[in-house]
Every structure is written in structure tokens, then in C-alpha cells.
Amino acid sequence: MKTSRFVHISDIFLYIVVLILLGIGSIVVNTTINNVSDYKGSYFSLSYPEIWTIRTNSSGNYIKIENINSKSRYKSNLSVKRIVIDKIMKDKKIKPNLNPVMNYMIGLQKQLPMFRQFNTKNTKILSMSGVEFHFAYVYDPPANPSHLADIPIVIKGFARILLNKKGTEFYSMMYRCDQKLFRENLNKAKDIFETLRVKGSK
Amino acid sequence: MGDDKVRDKAKLTLRTSGAYEILALFVLILIAFAVNNLVNVKDNPSLRLFLSAAFAISVSIVFLVLFYRQDMLEPEPKKLIALMFLAGAALPILVVNPLLEGVFKISTWSSYGSFMNLIGYILVIGVIVELSKLLLVRYTIFLNKEFDEIVDGVVYMSVVGLGYATALNLKYVISAQGTDLLIGTIRMSTMTMLHASISGFIGFFLGRAKFKEGNKFGLSLGFLAAVIFWGIYHLIIDFSKSGLQFDVWKELLMVAAFSFTIMTVTVGLMRYSIKKEIKVSQGGDQ
């Protein structure tokens, strides 16, 4: 085979090896990333990455999916919570509005230490309306003497809270992780949120 | 007679230069240990950042001298060495990181568990990192007349690896706003050794590809071994952790031992190559 100073025969074999390695690598990576499990509960369903672990409560109105392989002491997680709106509110036959959602957000602020909220915007998904916002708070990891430092971790999160069409219930979806991992995983979290299907919604 | 003196000196330097440089590295780590204990850097972020960056650069200089001195038969021009070092430093910033993040979405799958990381280290990260260094040398200095012996492959690839590691170390230091001087210096030393050693290892096969006619598979096999080294490195990192527990000393010692093994093999290959050249040269004189 004729070769030039720019392409030796050894280069050709090298490029073949590189193509094979990268090809196998891409296939394995894409297959693993795209493998999903389905959660089908009484109130809603969701698809999530196969290697994440899921926990649900007995009534099926709350699930938490955790990436136990997160490179942080705080494991990245997604949660979905179905919240039934106060019966009194329903009985008043008030036109569905986002007030219960806003009240829920205020409740969150009180629960989480040093809670900060940014970029709130209204949204409309699957015939449900609601709000989306980014937030941050401080998480104090449990003491563990083997760690170099037990310093608090700043958690960043993305939340989407959607009210159903009748205004009788809303769904709080939250993605939370160590702030260092937030940006790189946000789109993945949003993709998982997009797979949420609520019974009764189209 | 003059040539014989040079050869004898070369043989002697071969035996001792590696030992001197390893000694220099230990001295550097001892200095880091002393400074860490004598100077209160914890409360002075600027000083900590400055000293961490200084140690990051010092580590690279020690290894640069180590690899440069191995090529004492016909030392490479310092200007070219400096250029390749800088080009190597530009690689992670301009090529590798954008490629790994943009095309291979490394951050998406790097948290998908140990097996995924192992596959990723061997088949994606190792390939991209080492291929970028290899192509840089292959299409620049490899075509230059100064690349005139097999050992030059090791020298230039190691220098590119050192530049690469230096950029990574500086990035690590800057993003962490300085590091613990002792742990940081040891960690940067092991990473620098690893990059330089793995690149140098491939460089040997690159040199052979240029000067040994009919050597078709050597470069591919050397490259394959190098990417497997990255997988072994990942296994070492994984092995040195248990669950959430993080043993920095275990990790550092194991990576250091692994890097040192590759470096010893690479230096051994270089010495073997130089010895052969000396033998051929002596045979030609008689």
C-alpha cells in the first residue's frame, strides 16, 4: 500500500482501532443512557433512567427517584408529589387559579434552610397550568468522621408545579442536586419530567 | 575517543538521571509538607491559590527535566520542547473538554456508576485524550527533521502529556481556589506522572512507527495498551474508595505506584532503544 509522510500504514491501523473503540464506546454509552424503567402508579406514570432507584409511599401520591451514583454526598434526585387541594377551596367553587401552588411554594421556603428562589415563570404543560422556578438551599450532611470535611452542601433545584384543569389537585415535581452537578444534569431532569402522565390529562 | 566519552557519559546519566529526578520530586513534596505546616494558608485564600499554582507548575518542571534528560544522546531544541508543552496545555481547553462535553456528553453518563465509568474511561475518555496528544505530535513535530530518533517520540509525547497535565492541574487549583498544599501537590504529581507516562509510552511506538520500517501494528497496540491504562487508573480510583468513604492517601499511593510502573516501563523502553542505538553505533565504528 502506498503511503505518504502524512499517512503511514501504521496510522491507518491506528485510525481503525480508534474508530472501533469509539464506536463501541458510543453504542454502550447511548444504550445505557437510554435504558429506562417505567413507573405506573394510581395517580400518575413516569419514565426514568434504569439505573436510578425509586421509592414510593404507600398511597402512591409521592415518588422519589435517586441517582445513587451521583458524584456528591448529596445524591441527585427527582421527586413527584400529588397534592389534593383543600376541600374547602374546592367547595367554594372558585375558578381554578395558582394560589394553592403559590402557597405551597411559600411552605417550601419555610421548610428548607436558607431557601432562595429565582427565575419563576408561568408554564402550561399537558393542559395543566403552573409555575417553574429554580431554587437553592443549604443541606447539612449527617456527620461522618471518615470524610475530610462535613461542610454543608449547597443544593440547587428546579421545580415545576402543575395544577390540573379542574383545579382540584396539583403536582409538584422537583429536581435537586449538589450545585456543582446542577447545570450538567438539568436537561436530563427536564426530559424525565416531560414523561410524567397524570390520569385524566391528555 | 571523544565519541566514547560521550557514550560513557550517556550510559552513566541514564542510570542516575531518573533517580535524581524522583529524589527532586520527593524533595518537592517535603517542601509542600513543610510549607503546609509552617505557613497558615487556610486563612489566606490568595496565598493558598498562589502556592498551589506554584506547586502545580513545579511538579511539571521536575517531570519535564526528568524526561528531557533521558534523551541525552541528542537533546531536542528547548524551543521546540517549550512549544510542544504549550500546545499540550492548550489541548484540554480547546479540544478535549469541548469534545468530551459537547459530542460525547461525558457529564451525562459519568455519574452512571462504576461499570459505565470504566467503559467510558477506556473507550471514550482514554481514546480522545490520548488520540488528541498523538495527533498533535504526529502532524507537527513528527514531520520535523528534529524528530530523528525513536526516543524523540517518547520525549515529545511526554512533553505534550506534561503540558496537558499542567493545564488540568492549574484548572483544578483555580476552580478549587487553591488546595491543601501537601495533598494537592501529591495528587498533581501523580496526575502529571500518569499523563506523561502514558503519553510517553505511546510516544515510543510513534517513534518506532517512523523509524522501523514494516512496523504496522506497533502504534495501534501501544495506543490500545495506553487506553487500557486509563481503565486501570479508573479501577484504582474505584478500589481506593469504599462507599461514601474517601481515603485520599490510599488513592494517591496506588495511583503513584501505577504511574511509576508505567514510567519505569517507558524509561525501560527508552533505555533499551538507546542501548541498541549505542550498540549499532559502536558496531559501525569497529
Side-chain angles (χ1 to χ4, degrees), chain B residues 126-173:
Chain B
V127 173
I128 297 293
V129 169
E130 294 311 324
L131 183 68
S132 67
K133 295 177 197 166
L134 183 60
L135 290 181
L136 174 66
V137 174
R138 173 65 183 84
Y139 290 103
T140 53
I141 194 70
F142 185 90
L143 304 171
N144 191 297
K145 62 178 170 44
E146 291 293 345
F147 195 114
D148 54 3
E149 52 185 335
I150 293 173
V151 174
D152 290 350
V154 181
V155 173
Y156 285 113
M157 278 295 289
S158 301
V159 167
V160 167
L162 284 173
Y164 192 101
T166 307
L168 284 189
N169 286 341
L170 285 173
K171 191 181 164 213
Y172 162 65
V173 163

Side-chain angles (χ1 to χ4, degrees), chain A residues 129-149:
Chain A
S129 56
V131 291
E132 286 181 350
F133 59 94
H134 289 247
F135 60 91
Y137 65 93
V138 175
Y139 168 74
D140 227 348
N144 187 339
S146 67
H147 291 134
L148 286 177

Side-chain angles (χ1 to χ4, degrees), chain A residues 17-33, chain B residues 104 109 116 118-125 127:
Chain A
V17 167
V18 166
L19 283 175
I20 292 170
L21 291 177
L22 282 181
I24 297 170
S26 300
I27 291 168
V28 173
V29 165
N30 283 320
T31 309
T32 309
I33 288 174
Chain B
F104 291 96
W109 52 263
M116 194 66 185
L118 178 63
I119 295 291
Y121 260 97
I122 295 176
L123 297 176
V124 180
I125 299 173
V127 173

Side-chain angles (χ1 to χ4, degrees), chain A residues 5-6 11 15 51 69 147, chain B residues 109 111-112 138-139 143 244:
Chain A
R5 66 196 290 252
F6 291 102
D11 294 333
Y15 298 144
I51 60 164
N69 297 307
H147 291 134
Chain B
W109 52 263
S111 62
Y112 271 49
R138 173 65 183 84
Y139 290 103
L143 304 171
L244 281 173

